[in-house]
Amino acid sequence: MDARRLAVLDAMGINSYVPRARVAAAPFATAGASLGPEAMDWDTLAATVRECRLCGLCATRTQTVFGTGDIHSRLMVIGEAPGADEDRLGEPFVGRAGQLLNSMLKAAGFARGQVYIANVLKCRPPNNRNPLVEEADRCLPYLLRQIELVSPALILCLGRIASQRLLGFEEPLGRQRGRIHRIGRTPVIVTYHPAYLLRSPAEKRKSWDDLKLAMEVLRRGDGT
Ligand code: URA
């Protein structure tokens, strides 16, 4: 993006921006399917994810974890990858981190079923290791299509790995907070992952600040 465009975005309070072109450019090879995820409807996308064999995680997963919640929600929550509980039950954020996420959402005025929750990766990395770049690259088009179809007014991105893969950030999460980022035109607020908050409860106060910012962006409607 040229300097003038960046300056305009900066003046609008938009500090980072992932252009739609990145969606199209994301590497993807559909195994036998005629359409890429960017052209799929919700049911086709869900069925394609269920059968996905684009990376090695298909060999170790119990099942894929597509997402859960209201597909018409104004708020979409994006985490990193399924853990053991999610792999077993086929639903994101059902373990201890999920319980904390539910409490965070409740504090922000949302029941779990009122938001849409998904992960960057649809399959569990063995031993809960971080997702590999290749795995995230293969999986990201699914998530980007989910974002496009849900078309939320705001995305809440949980943790450094999700923000790295979704927004391309390398900087520490503490420096990404408190700002409005964008995927296409959709505003994105970054906050701590609930699993991190379970280990570092003192940071919950900061995550509440992030949620308040998220609520404010939702209330204003346009994220500016
Ligand atoms: N952590 C995540 O990032 N996603 C889940 O679904 C569960 C734990």
Side-chain angles (χ1 to χ4, degrees), residues 74 95 116 145:
R74 298 185 70 230
Y116 193 78
R145 183 62 177 155

Side-chain angles (χ1 to χ4, degrees), residues 4-26:
R4 196 184 57 80
R5 186 116 192 268
L6 279 174
V8 171
L9 289 172
D10 193 46
M12 291 166 68
I14 299 169
N15 307 100
S16 64
Y17 177 85
V18 179
R20 295 284 320 149
R22 182 160 163 227
V23 178

Side-chain angles (χ1 to χ4, degrees), residues 79-83 86 91-94 97 119 193:
E80 177 182 326
E86 291 76 20
E91 182 170 327
F93 283 100
V94 287
N119 283 309
H193 193 287

Side-chain angles (χ1 to χ4, degrees), residues 11-46:
M12 291 166 68
I14 299 169
N15 307 100
S16 64
Y17 177 85
V18 179
R20 295 284 320 149
R22 182 160 163 227
V23 178
F28 193 86
T30 39
S34 54
L35 298 177
E38 68 284 348
M40 290 178 186
D41 63 20
W42 191 265
D43 290 347
T44 309
L45 187 67

Side-chain angles (χ1 to χ4, degrees), residues 8-222:
V8 171
L9 289 172
D10 193 46
M12 291 166 68
I14 299 169
N15 307 100
S16 64
Y17 177 85
V18 179
R20 295 284 320 149
R22 182 160 163 227
V23 178
F28 193 86
T30 39
S34 54
L35 298 177
E38 68 284 348
M40 290 178 186
D41 63 20
W42 191 265
D43 290 347
T44 309
L45 187 67
T48 303
V49 166
R50 226 171 7 250
E51 301 301 320
C52 182
R53 307 226 171 287
L54 289 179
C55 82
L57 295 181
C58 63
T60 50
R61 73 186 178 213
T62 304
Q63 59 192 314
T64 58
V65 179
F66 185 63
T68 190
D70 178 1
I71 63 168
H72 304 295
S73 181
R74 298 185 70 230
L75 178 60
M76 186 159 176
V77 177
I78 297 179
E80 177 182 326
D85 293 322
E86 291 76 20
D87 175 71
R88 188 165 49 85
L89 296 172
E91 182 170 327
F93 283 100
V94 287
R96 280 185 68 225
Q99 284 167 19
L100 179 55
L101 174 63
N102 294 348
S103 306
M104 290 163 65
L105 291 171
K106 192 168 170 198
F110 290 94
R112 176 180 169 94
Q114 288 178 314
V115 306
Y116 193 78
I117 307 174
N119 283 309
V120 170
L121 286 196
K122 307 301 186 214
C123 298
R124 180 193 182 203
N127 306 314
N128 296 339
R129 65 159 169 75
N130 288 341
L132 303 177
V133 173
E134 309 84 78
E135 291 162 353
D137 280 350
R138 288 290 165 129
C139 222
L140 200 58
Y142 297 137
L143 177 63
L144 293 172
R145 183 62 177 155
Q146 282 177 299
I147 293 172
E148 203 162 45
L149 291 170
V150 174
S151 187
L154 177 73
I155 292 171
L156 184 66
C157 181
L158 303 176
R160 188 179 57 88
I161 301 290
S163 78
Q164 236 173 30
R165 298 294 166 247
L166 197 59
L167 296 160
F169 285 141
E170 295 299 333
E171 59 182 346
L173 189 123
R175 274 199 247 139
Q176 304 168 24
R177 296 180 44 249
R179 298 187 272 152
I180 300 171
H181 309 285
R182 299 246 168 201
I183 296 176
R185 295 219 302 270
T186 310
V188 182
I189 300 291
V190 175
T191 193
Y192 295 108
H193 193 287
Y196 170 77
L197 295 175
L198 288 171
R199 296 191 300 274
S200 312
E203 304 286 41
K204 283 184 185 173
R205 181 185 297 267
K206 292 186 196 160
S207 93
W208 175 236
D209 288 339
D210 298 334
L211 285 175
K212 283 192 289 190
L213 175 60
M215 288 186 282
E216 174 62 17
V217 171
L218 275 177
R219 195 185 58 75
R220 288 199 310 246
D222 62 354

